[in-house]
Amino acid sequence: MKEELAIHGGRPVRSKPFPDWPVYGEPEERLLLEVLHSGKWGGVGRIKLPEFEEKFAAYQNAEHAVTVVNGTIGLTIALQAAGVMPGDEVIMPPYTFIATATSCLIFGAIPVFVDVEADTSLLDPAKVESAITTRTKAIVAVHIGGAPSNLTELKKIAKKHGLRLIEDSAQAAGSQWEGIGVGAQGDIGTFSFQSSKNISAGEGGVILTNDEQLADTAWSLANVGRIRQGAWYQHEHIGWNLRMTEFQAAVLLGQMSRLDEQAAKRERNAKLLTELLVDIDGIKVMRRDPRITRHAYHLYIFRIDPERTDRVNKNEFIDRINAEGIQATAGYVSLNQNKALLNEIRKWTGESRSYSCPVSEKACDKEVLWLHQNMLLAEEEDMYDIARAVRKVMRSYQ
Ligand SMILES: *Cc1c(COP(=O)(O)O)cnc(C)c1O
């Protein structure tokens, strides 16, 4: 029997809200006050920043960490430290936040969009090699929603062609590929602590690497060209002040105290949700590679079955499920279709480039739905509500 949809006046599946984000408490409060009263808020004599850098690097199994103002600038610094120059091409998926591309264009490096896999929304390694040119310098793997990209394949391709592998891990704090944290499995990787991310300080970012020289270069770029052991006015390179404050490090240390517990809960709830959604006619769950040993689930991503998208309109589906009390969202516009980016690429290259990424375009326009990480911090029964709402809305199309 079809139930009346809430959007048409029926009873919504759910009226209870999902957990708020950010989650914070005593540790953040204590650490923030400690920084405040220390009078050491940044600059010389930093205490919390090195402590956080050490902890976060260890958490992701990396040797070095350099904190920076945000994830976008983190990527720019990572690219520059890795030797990417103006005019060099950087291969990346179009299914990502615009910052992955703008972090290149800020200094004239050229994003080259290579399509994603339909069943993961992650960069398709099988399509990377044909996009490599003499100008290609790096590949950016983006771990969307916290799902690690196929690092095994991407590392192989990068090695074979002498390219740098950079991991945009903005959404992947805690994620692991084959038992090792993401971020420094390639040459260098970056994380974001913007307000929506799985640990947050309102804003912030960090660069991870196992290469000491890359770490030193990144540090110098983010510290007005100084060198670590140098004098205050000894500027050996051109760099900028791109530092975080001690207050942000204090909040992040507080956030990290909950990360394991929250990660375990997100994993547990995501597993249950997958078991519930996989049985719903018209819905496809994403493929989870068994080499993903830990998934941060910044997003829980699922799809409308591509065979149903002619009848089931994605935006209408979202309106209907939102009315049922489930805040699913539509996610990105495929970056290869963003006119501002294409114009900027034309400005730097003098060429009108276009990129064919039909899988990403279809994911954005017709298929992929997101649930945000805070929903996975709810309880088991709440996952049943999500599945009930998805089933109810899907049935309305039969
Ligand atoms: C959030 C995000 C960024 C940018 O990080 P900011 O800290 O907001 O600058 C880059 N890439 C991805 C995939 C992101 O989700």
Side-chain angles (χ1 to χ4, degrees):
M1 193 194 76
K2 265 195 223 178
E3 297 167 86
E4 182 87 53
L5 289 173
I7 205 166
H8 299 148
R11 187 185 155 85
V13 166
R14 179 186 171 92
S15 52
K16 211 173 105 186
F18 281 90
D20 284 331
W21 188 258
V23 175
Y24 61 93
E26 189 278 329
E28 285 86 350
E29 203 170 313
R30 177 172 42 80
L31 290 159
L32 274 171
L33 284 173
E34 201 186 303
V35 169
L36 181 73
H37 294 304
S38 76
K40 299 212 186 318
W41 298 351
V44 201
R46 288 176 274 170
I47 300 160
K48 298 296 178 204
L49 284 158
E51 187 185 335
F52 172 72
E53 284 169 346
E54 196 173 310
K55 264 204 177 139
F56 192 76
Y59 196 74
Q60 296 298 133
N61 311 110
E63 284 175 35
H64 309 281
V66 177
T67 45
V68 286
V69 285
N70 59 47
T72 308
I73 286 298
L75 275 168
T76 298
I77 297 304
L79 289 156
Q80 293 185 344
V84 176
M85 302 288 283
D88 286 345
E89 293 178 353
V90 179
I91 288 172
M92 65 179 65
Y95 194 83
T96 179
F97 185 55
I98 193 165
T100 315
T102 55
S103 65
C104 295
L105 286 164
I106 195 174
F107 69 103
I110 309 303
V112 170
F113 299 113
V114 170
D115 215 352
V116 295
E117 302 170 323
D119 55 359
T120 66
S121 288
L122 300 168
L123 181 61
D124 188 342
K127 296 186 182 135
V128 168
E129 281 192 290
S130 61
I132 295 172
T133 72
T134 52
R135 302 253 37 181
T136 308
K137 197 60 170 274
I139 301 169
V140 179
V142 187
H143 306 316
I144 282 298
S149 308
N150 187 339
L151 288 169
T152 308
E153 276 309 306
L154 293 173
K155 273 190 268 191
K156 258 189 231 161
I157 295 167
K159 190 161 180 222
K160 181 174 159 199
H161 296 272
L163 306 176
R164 295 289 205 170
L165 178 60
I166 297 168
E167 292 175 67
D168 180 348
S169 315
Q171 303 182 4
S175 291
Q176 296 179 350
W177 176 260
E178 297 198 299
I180 298 169
V182 301
Q185 295 211 31
D187 295 282
I188 190 164
T190 59
F191 293 78
S192 162
F193 306 125
Q194 174 265 353
S195 52
S196 75
K197 302 288 156 64
N198 289 22
I199 58 169
S200 164
E203 300 290 352
V206 72
I207 299 165
L208 299 185
T209 180
N210 293 326
D211 181 326
E212 191 172 4
Q213 204 181 333
L214 284 180
D216 286 346
T217 305
W219 188 93
S220 184
L221 286 166
N223 283 274
V224 289
R226 291 185 184 119
I227 53 171
R228 283 187 202 266
Q229 308 306 332
W232 191 249
Y233 290 118
Q234 184 185 345
H235 306 283
E236 300 273 328
H237 309 106
I238 295 304
W240 301 269
N241 173 5
L242 304 171
R243 295 186 296 266
M244 270 193 342
T245 68
E246 285 279 291
F247 295 108
Q248 288 164 290
V251 173
L252 289 167
L253 284 166
Q255 296 272 293
M256 275 198 82
S257 69
R258 273 176 229 99
L259 186 49
D260 269 329
E261 187 191 305
Q262 289 172 341
K265 192 166 198 184
R266 290 191 193 99
E267 281 267 29
R268 215 162 47 234
N269 279 330
K271 181 165 180 280
L272 172 61
L273 194 51
T274 296
E275 285 163 14
L276 298 172
L277 294 183
V278 83
D279 288 336
I280 299 177
D281 196 31
I283 290 294
K284 290 264 185 212
V285 298
M286 303 313 270
R287 174 173 61 84
R288 176 167 167 163
D289 193 299
R291 290 168 290 187
I292 299 176
T293 43
R294 200 158 118 159
H295 188 320
Y297 283 109
H298 175 65
L299 301 167
Y300 184 92
I301 300 180
F302 63 105
R303 305 196 277 160
I304 298 166
D305 187 336
E307 289 181 11
R308 296 297 187 81
T309 48
D310 51 343
R311 286 188 53 206
V312 182
N313 176 277
K314 175 171 155 173
N315 288 324
E316 184 186 66
F317 187 96
I318 289 171
D319 290 343
R320 289 181 179 188
I321 199 162
N322 287 351
E324 298 298 333
I326 304 299
Q327 295 309 306
T329 58
Y332 300 125
V333 172
S334 193
L335 291 188
N336 61 301
Q337 295 187 301
N338 180 299
K339 293 228 165 58
L341 283 177
L342 295 175
N343 283 337
E344 192 69 9
I345 291 169
R346 172 147 36 86
K347 211 176 89 188
W348 286 101
T349 61
E351 298 162 14
S352 288
R353 295 194 178 188
S354 65
Y355 301 95
S356 168
C357 305
V359 179
S360 175
E361 289 171 21
K362 259 184 83 190
C364 294
D365 299 343
K366 295 178 185 258
E367 296 171 12
V368 167
L369 303 169
W370 291 359
L371 302 171
H372 291 260
Q373 53 91 7
N374 63 303
M375 295 175 74
L376 297 176
L377 295 177
E379 303 308 319
E380 209 177 284
E381 72 227 32
D382 301 303
M383 301 305 111
Y384 284 92
D385 280 350
I386 296 171
R388 213 172 291 133
V390 171
R391 191 184 297 272
K392 179 179 170 184
V393 172
M394 204 36 106
R395 272 198 188 144
S396 70
Y397 289 97
Q398 278 155 10

